[in-house]
Each structure stands twice: as C-alpha cells, then as structure tokens.
Amino acid sequence: MKNIKSIYLALLLVLTALWLEAEPTLLGLQGYFPWRAAMVRYTGILAIGVMSLGMMLAARPAWVDARLGGLDKGYRLHKWLGITALVVAVIHFVWAKGTKWMVGWGWLQRPVRGPRPEQTDPVLRFFEQQAHLAETIGEWAFYAVVVLIALALIKRFPYRHFFKTHRLIPIAYLALVWHAVILMKFDFWREPVGPVVALLLAGGTVAAFLSLFRRVGHGRKAVGEIEELVRHPDNRVLRVVVRLLGRWPGHDAGQFAFVTFDPAEGPHPFTISSAWADDGRLVFLIKGLGDYTATLPDTLKVGDPVTVEGPYGRFDFAGSKPRQVWVAGGIGITPFVARLQALAGQSDGKHVDLFYSTAAPDEGFIGRLRQHAERAGVALHVLVSTRDGRLDAERIRHTVPDWRSADVWFCGPAAFGDALRRDFTGGGLAQADFHQELFEMR
C-alpha cells in the first residue's frame, strides 16, 4: 500500500509542480478570466496525466508486479487514478463550460478582445484551426468517460456488462489525447511539463491500442480445458481443475491468473490454489460471490476450453521472520492452500499458524484443508464465525504470543484485512510485515 500511495501522490505533486513552473505569472493574475484559463490548463493536465497512467496500468505491464508489489496493488492504484480522473475531469469541465454558460446567462461579462493577428507559423495555424473540433471531441469524450468510469465503480453493475463497457474507455481516452495535444497551451510544450505530458500520452496511447486490439497479456496466455469440477455446496465453493495444453512458465504459491471460461464474459482474476508440480495442471477454488462467479457451477462442464493468463502477483510468503501468521477470510483461503501444498514438498523451516475464518463451513472442504496443513507441518485454527465468534487481532495475539516476531499474511474481505492491519500495526507490528491481497471479487 505504501508504494502505491507514494506513486499516486508523486504523480499529482510532479504534475502540479511542473504546471506551476510553466505558469510564472500565476500570482500576478487579476480578475476571474485569467484565473479561469489557468485552472482549465491545470485541471486538464492533471486529468489527462492520471488517466494516462491508469491506462498503462490496465495493460498489465510486467514491471507492475515488481515495482508495486503485485498486480493487485497496480489495480488498486488504477482504481484511485480512475476516481481522480473522474473528479478532476468534472472540475475541468465546469471551469471550461460553466464560464461560457454564465456568460450566456448574463452572470459574467466576457472581456473585450481586439482582432487576432493572422498566424503565419504553419504549425500554430494548424493548432488554431483544430481547436474548435478538439473542444467538441473532448466534450463528448468527457461525457463518455464519466459514464464508463461511474459504471466501473458501481459494484452492482453486472460483471459481464462491466467487462464490455470498460473496453470502450480506450476509445474515449484516445479522443481526449487529441483534445489535450491540440488545446494544451502551445508554450507548455517548450517547458518541462511538455515532455512529461508527452511521455504519459505516448504510454497511454500504446496501452489503449493494446487493449483495442486485444493484445493485453498476449504473451502470458496458455490454453487448456477443464479436467475436473468439484462442488462444495455448504460454502458455495467450486473446485476447478484445469489441464493446460499450452506452455506455462510455472508459478509460486499465492500467485493468481486471469481465467477466461467464456470469451463473452472475458478474463477474471482467480488465485491459483495448487502448487506447481510441472504436470500442466492448475486448481482454482471459486466462490459464488458475484453475478458472474455465482453462475459458474451451473455453466461449466468438464472438457470446456479455458484460457489462462499469468501468473501474476507477489503474495509470495517471502520474509526474514522466523515465523508467519496466515489469516484467511472465506474464499481468501485459496493462496494458503497452494502454499500448504508447496511446503508439503519442501519445508522452509518457519513456524506457521493458519487462521481460517468462515461463516459457511463445508466439512469436506475443511477435511481436505486439515490434511494439507498436517502434511505441511502448519498449525491450523478453523473458526466458524456463527459458532465461535468473530476473529480479530486480539484473538490471534492470544494464540500466538510471539506475534511480533512474525510476518502476517492476509487474504479475504477488504474491511476485515484493514481492521487487522490497524490492530496489528497499532500494537507494534511494522507496516512492512503485514501483507494483504487487494483484489476485490465481483
């Protein structure tokens, strides 16, 4: 979380500082209209800047895992950038169009301008000729972006529709790139802010075309078929065994993949619930939490084709502490199942306590989990919330007295993880020793 917060704030601060450097007379501006022009430029630079980085993150570049500590962190940053783009774009629109409306309503008096001299520079003349078209394109692209980002943030919006509408954002983004290039103050291109914005626009444009031509993650995809399906009705978990027919580079316990069961639905991230045995098989434990995952037990069949993209993620259980505390909430048990299988084959010598909290226990599922834990030499603590009460940091600390000498690894509901993080770090655990998977299922 610290890395993505730093990158998010750094982007905003750098763009702000570069804009201030390009507006040397800012403090001397007098009157509404000069300030309005400056604010239009500032909000425009911020909006296209955060949208460009968000577009690049959506293309799932390889550096995200290493630099941000996992693709799940990259998608959390992508979400923050999307929200910021939405808010700043609205402010930009209000500064740009609201003033024109107020002039039309008679609330403001536009300053009188003399005739403009004829532009002799062919480049500047081209920019001036394209300005009106760029404004119109930007306005309609703004309307589209507002709707598309708002739909992406509404969790009740069905995933199958979200997947399709989100693919339209690159088109709107490319229209806004044209809007930004034409309408950004021409002198800014000669200032430091110009090259920085140009780099962001270039990166975002490449990412947009990768998305439009369905090339995102293309080099990390493998095809396969469903080999086995096991339903655990008590906790609504479906165990899916996939036999890969294409090349797979292997994976570490705790990593995830984007799995496509139906091209019309698109890829969906699922944690890999099996250790890699170089046998071409992957196991996924999928709980029906949303409109899409709830349908899988009734729609998937043995032999169905599958596309798997990955592996991704840095939920890798790495750490220098002599012991570890694992906490799983509900279907968050999936990365720990894979790690248990890996430790059964080769122990790392750490003492591990696994706390599994569930409101819907399935005896067959828990029995298999106990077997994995026994083979791995991991102490398993199963708590059924409806029977045993709420799992919290105090309960874990009571069970593991030397918890300060441990790394804590959490996967489960975000609110549950955030509460544990606050309790543990408030009690003395270093922020860096609490590891949390951030993907939100829908």
Side-chain angles (χ1 to χ4, degrees):
M1 288 289 286
K2 184 178 180 180
N3 281 350
I4 62 177
K5 288 179 181 178
S6 298
I7 291 174
Y8 174 77
L9 292 174
L11 177 65
L12 297 182
L13 291 174
V14 167
L15 290 177
T16 299
L18 292 174
W19 168 75
L20 286 171
E21 189 274 338
E23 296 271 13
T25 62
L26 183 65
L27 295 179
L29 295 179
Q30 295 182 352
Y32 172 81
F33 281 93
W35 273 100
R36 176 254 186 186
M39 290 300 102
V40 167
R41 292 192 287 267
Y42 175 50
T43 54
I45 288 170
L46 274 189
I48 199 65
V50 298
M51 194 176 295
S52 296
L53 181 57
M55 189 63 61
M56 286 185 268
L57 292 174
R60 301 198 277 275
W63 56 265
V64 172
D65 259 359
R67 297 293 177 86
L68 299 184
L71 190 62
D72 60 314
K73 311 300 188 297
Y75 269 74
R76 178 61 61 89
L77 177 57
H78 172 80
K79 180 179 179 179
W80 291 354
L81 293 170
I83 295 172
T84 303
L86 178 61
V87 172
V88 178
V90 169
I91 296 172
H92 176 77
F93 179 82
V94 170
W95 274 113
K97 298 294 289 187
T99 298
K100 295 180 180 179
W101 294 336
M102 288 188 286
V103 169
W105 298 332
W107 295 3
L108 286 175
Q109 185 68 39
R110 187 183 297 275
V112 178
R113 294 179 179 175
R116 291 187 179 182
E118 182 179 352
Q119 186 57 253
T120 57
D121 187 301
V123 175
L124 291 176
R125 186 167 60 247
F126 172 79
F127 274 66
E128 287 184 357
Q129 291 170 346
Q130 296 297 315
H132 178 70
L133 177 61
E135 286 182 359
T136 303
I137 290 174
E139 180 178 350
W140 286 102
F142 163 78
Y143 297 144
V145 165
V146 167
V147 173
L148 294 172
I149 293 180
L151 290 176
L153 296 173
I154 300 172
K155 290 188 177 182
R156 290 184 177 274
F157 188 62
Y159 180 82
R160 62 185 179 277
H161 299 319
F162 157 81
F163 169 69
K164 294 172 182 176
T165 58
H166 217 56
R167 279 184 165 176
L168 299 175
I169 289 183
I171 299 175
Y173 169 78
L174 291 173
L176 290 172
V177 168
W178 176 252
H179 173 84
V181 169
I182 295 298
L183 294 180
M184 192 166 87
K185 188 177 179 180
F186 195 81
D187 290 345
F188 280 15
W189 294 113
R190 303 187 183 97
E191 301 291 339
V193 68
V196 172
V197 170
L199 285 173
L200 288 169
L201 294 178
T205 298
V206 171
F209 278 111
L210 287 174
S211 177
L212 290 173
F213 288 100
R214 309 290 192 266
R215 303 296 292 181
V216 172
H218 181 76
R220 306 183 74 166
K221 291 181 179 179
V223 296
E225 63 181 25
I226 296 177
E227 185 176 72
E228 181 184 357
L229 293 168
V230 179
R231 298 181 69 166
H232 296 281
D234 290 345
N235 60 0
R236 296 183 294 119
V237 170
L238 178 67
R239 184 174 185 266
V240 182
V241 181
V242 174
R243 181 169 63 87
L244 296 175
L245 306 176
R247 181 179 177 275
W248 182 254
H251 62 272
D252 296 325
Q255 290 191 294
F256 64 90
F258 285 89
V259 183
T260 303
F261 295 114
D262 180 356
E265 292 285 351
H268 199 90
F270 296 114
T271 300
I272 303 169
S273 303
S274 58
W276 179 241
D278 202 21
D279 60 355
R281 286 174 172 78
L282 302 178
V283 177
F284 299 94
L285 298 175
I286 303 172
K287 187 167 184 175
L289 295 175
D291 64 286
Y292 170 61
T293 52
T295 65
L296 294 182
D298 298 321
T299 57
L300 298 185
K301 301 185 299 296
V302 172
D304 282 353
V306 179
T307 300
V308 182
E309 177 196 332
Y312 294 104
R314 294 280 169 165
F315 197 80
D316 55 9
F317 303 93
S320 59
K321 298 294 186 70
R323 70 176 302 151
Q324 293 186 340
V325 175
W326 302 348
V327 185
I331 197 58
I333 191 64
T334 50
F336 302 108
V337 173
R339 183 59 175 169
L340 290 174
Q341 295 177 40
L343 290 178
Q346 184 176 1
S347 174
D348 62 0
K350 297 179 185 295
H351 186 80
V352 179
D353 286 88
L354 168 58
F355 294 83
Y356 172 43
S357 176
T358 177
D362 183 284
E363 291 305 319
F365 182 86
I366 292 175
R368 184 189 292 265
L369 182 62
R370 292 190 189 281
Q371 292 176 2
H372 286 313
E374 185 176 348
R375 295 190 189 112
V378 168
L380 175 64
H381 313 274
V382 178
L383 291 93
V384 179
S385 57
T386 55
R387 181 191 67 202
D388 304 319
R390 178 173 173 268
L391 178 63
D392 55 20
E394 182 58 35
R395 196 163 188 169
I396 296 171
R397 287 194 289 261
H398 179 75
T399 306
V400 186
D402 57 340
W403 57 274
R404 288 186 179 85
S405 64
D407 291 303
V408 180
W409 295 80
F410 172 85
C411 186
F416 182 18
D418 293 341
L420 286 180
R421 178 187 292 274
R422 288 193 299 269
D423 286 350
F424 274 116
T425 55
L429 186 75
Q431 285 278 356
D433 292 334
F434 191 97
H435 311 269
Q436 182 177 358
E437 179 67 59
L438 296 180
F439 258 124
E440 299 177 10
M441 297 295 103
R442 60 181 292 167

